Amino acid sequence: MKLYSCPNCSRRLYFENAQCLNCGSLVLFDPGVMAFLLQTENAACANAAECGCNWVADGDRPFCRACALNQTIPNLSVEGNRERWVKVEAAKKRAIYSMIAFGLPFAPKQSPQDAAGIAFDFLAPETGGGPGGVPLLTGHENGLITLNVAEADSPERERMRIRMGENYRTLLGHFRHELGHYCWERLIRDDPERLAAFRNVFGDQSADYAAALHRHYAEGAPADWQSRHISAYAASHPWEDWAETWAHCLHILDTLEMVDALALGLPPGPAAETADHTPAMADAPGAFESLLRRWLLLSEASNCINRCMGLRDLYPFVISDAVAGKLRFVHDFLVSNRDTEARRAA
C-alpha cells in the first residue's frame, strides 16, 4: 500500500480518504491510474452514500471496479449491518488493490457457471446460520466468495479465532485467502507447467479435500506443522497451504510497500526507488531474499513494540526455510504474472 497526494493541494492522502483534510477537496481513488482525482471532475461510485466507497465509477457504469463484484450485501434494515458492511468493503478494497497492482485478472461474475468471474456474497442471517441451519462461514467456490459480515465485529472475530485455534484472523486476511483460491483456479489449475511447479512445492492437490479437512478438524495439525507450513490450517491440504501462503505473501509485500512509502529506514529493496507501485516486489537477482530479510526485521520490531504496549504480536508466525520456499514461489508467480500482463498491454 502507498501514500497518496491530494490532486488539489498535494498534501498527503491515505487510501481510505474521501476528503483532503488540508484543503477540504472531495476526492476519489481511481484504480486505473492508482491515484486520487477530484470528485468535482469525476463520477463517484453509486455506493458512496451507502457504504462510504471512495472509488470512481467504472466508466459509464454506476459502480466502481470493486463494488461491481458484489452479488449480495447485508440486510441494511438490521441494526449494525451497515456499519459491518462499511468495514467489510474497506478490507475488500485493499485486497482488490493488490489484485490490480499485481496485474491479476478479475471481472464481475456473469453467471453461476462463469468460472472466470468473481462475485461476493456478504451475508448476515439473523439466525446466525446459513440455509438449512448450516453455519455461515467464509469460503470460495467457483469464483463466488462468501463472507459472514458478523466477523466485522471484533468480539465475534476474536471468538472465531479462538474457536478455530488461529494466531491471526482479520477481514483482509479472509479476502486475500479466498482470492488466493480464485487465482489458483484461474491461473494454475489448467496450466500444466504451473501446476507441475505448484505440486513440486505444495504437494498433490488431488488428495481428497473433504477427507483432509475432516481429519484436520478432528485431529488437528501435525505436531511439526511449523517446520513446513505458515499456519496450522495450511497443513490440512495443498489448496489451503497455497491460499494461506498466498495471503501471507500479499501481507508482506503490501506492508513493505507502505514501509517504503513512509521512509521508515529499513534497508531498501531492489526496486524501492524506481517502481511506481509494489516497490517491495522485484525480479532482480536475490530480490526475494532481500524482501524476506526486511520482513523478518520489521516483524520482529513490530512484535517487540506491541509487547511493550501490552498487545498481541502483530505477526505471530514463524517463517521456516520450507515456508520461505513457498513464499518465494508465490512471489515469483506474482512477478511472472505481472510481467506477462505488462507485455500483453504493451
Side-chain angles (χ1 to χ4, degrees), residues 160-223:
M160 288 296 297
R161 186 191 69 79
I162 294 172
R163 177 185 170 188
M164 304 296 284
E166 299 170 336
N167 289 335
Y168 163 95
R169 191 178 183 92
T170 68
L171 292 174
L172 180 55
H174 282 328
F175 280 117
R176 285 179 170 157
H177 177 103
E178 303 306 338
L179 286 168
H181 283 305
Y182 166 79
C183 287
W184 187 90
E185 292 187 355
R186 183 80 189 275
L187 300 171
I188 292 181
R189 182 187 61 189
D190 300 325
D191 185 316
E193 184 176 346
R194 283 178 167 176
L195 182 58
F198 165 86
R199 287 179 171 177
N200 188 52
V201 175
F202 291 92
D204 185 358
Q205 85 292 343
S206 66
D208 190 309
Y209 181 66
L213 289 191
H214 178 78
R215 182 170 56 253
H216 172 77
Y217 288 121
E219 304 174 7

Side-chain angles (χ1 to χ4, degrees), residues 120-138:
F120 290 100
D121 277 353
F122 300 140
L123 306 178
E126 279 36 88
T127 60
V134 177
L136 176 58
L137 300 173
T138 296

Side-chain angles (χ1 to χ4, degrees), residues 187-271:
L187 300 171
I188 292 181
R189 182 187 61 189
D190 300 325
D191 185 316
E193 184 176 346
R194 283 178 167 176
L195 182 58
F198 165 86
R199 287 179 171 177
N200 188 52
V201 175
F202 291 92
D204 185 358
Q205 85 292 343
S206 66
D208 190 309
Y209 181 66
L213 289 191
H214 178 78
R215 182 170 56 253
H216 172 77
Y217 288 121
E219 304 174 7
D224 64 343
W225 66 263
Q226 282 190 319
S227 67
R228 294 174 286 117
H229 305 281
I230 192 64
S231 69
Y233 187 51
S236 64
H237 189 275
W239 278 338
E240 299 303 341
D241 198 4
W242 161 265
E244 286 285 270
T245 306
W246 172 276
H248 276 259
C249 189
L250 289 178
H251 290 333
I252 291 169
L253 294 173
D254 200 26
T255 304
L256 288 178
E257 183 182 39
M258 179 54 74
V259 167
D260 290 336
L262 291 168
L264 289 183
L266 281 179

Side-chain angles (χ1 to χ4, degrees), residues 277-292:
H277 298 288
T278 61
M281 186 178 73
D283 51 3
F288 176 79
E289 286 68 24
S290 173
L291 297 179
L292 184 58

Side-chain angles (χ1 to χ4, degrees), residues 141-159:
E141 184 175 4
N142 198 37
L144 175 62
I145 294 173
T146 303
L147 187 139
N148 184 350
V149 299
E151 291 214 37
D153 297 332
S154 297
E156 172 63 17
R157 193 169 60 253
E158 179 66 5
R159 185 185 71 82

Side-chain angles (χ1 to χ4, degrees), residues 42-46 56-65 68:
N42 299 273
C45 174
V56 299
D58 186 18
D60 57 358
R61 302 175 182 86
F63 295 105
C64 70
R65 288 189 67 188

Side-chain angles (χ1 to χ4, degrees), residues 20-58:
C20 176
L21 298 182
N22 180 61
C23 69
S25 297
L26 298 178
V27 295
L28 296 168
F29 182 73
D30 184 350
V33 296
M34 289 294 200
F36 277 89
L37 310 175
L38 291 173
Q39 185 172 327
T40 54
E41 301 172 1
N42 299 273
C45 174
N47 275 341
E50 298 296 326
C51 64
C53 178
N54 68 334
W55 284 26
V56 299
D58 186 18

